[in-house]
Amino acid sequence: HLELGPLMGGGANLGVMARVRGEGFRWDGSYLHAEILRAPAAAADYRFKDTLGRVAAGTKRFERADGVDNTALGEVRKLVDAARRRGAKVIVYLPPFAPTIARAVAASEGDRYMTEIAAAARPIVEQAGYAFFDFTSCEPLGCADAEFIDGLHAGSMVEARLHIEMANAVPWLDARVAQVELAARIAR
């Protein structure tokens, strides 16, 4: 039995949805998916059924394509160039899929371009002087299906793993990330 009181009480999350359904953004920007935590088997993407169906059908973020869109890569270039001109500190990363979904995408003929995005975007980002991470398959970092809210949304354990990985590679981020606390959260 999962006790939600400590997660939802005492202002742990903000906004109307927090007060009405217990869902909402927390002070740190993360989102509490209380409805899914209360009744995971009732969720639309329980055991990734919905996301796997979308991968198979080639719909809703898994549309088929022959390759990486050069127009989209041009937008990435504009974005990192504008950030560089403004002196912004930027880290670019491809967000993780749940491991089951990452494997399904890699095996899908029509979605193979998704595995090519990192190789196409990395040089653009790095040429602008920024760090680039491909976390689409985060199993090598220890991520597991159970640490995902659904096929596309990482839970706090996965986010902790990603932050540690990025902080280990980016000195200015390392100075701002509480790696010891994140590692302790993962170890629990």
Side-chain angles (χ1 to χ4, degrees), residues 91 159-183 186:
I91 295 173
E159 295 295 341
R161 294 176 199 284
L162 304 186
H163 281 89
I164 289 171
E165 186 74 11
M166 290 184 286
N168 283 333
V170 180
W172 65 261
L173 182 63
D174 183 40
R176 292 168 174 80
V177 170
Q179 289 197 52
V180 172
E181 288 84 355
L182 291 176
I186 293 169

Side-chain angles (χ1 to χ4, degrees), residues 1 9 17-19 30 32 46-47 56 72 79 88 100 106-107 142 146 151 154 156 163 176:
H1 175 68
M17 290 296 287
R19 298 298 159 226
S30 63
L32 176 63
Y46 182 63
R47 297 192 178 174
L79 179 66
T100 293
S156 60
H163 281 89
R176 292 168 174 80

Side-chain angles (χ1 to χ4, degrees), residues 87-108:
K89 292 182 177 179
V90 174
I91 295 173
V92 176
Y93 71 93
L94 298 179
F97 294 119
T100 293
I101 302 305
R103 288 189 294 274
V105 167
S108 171

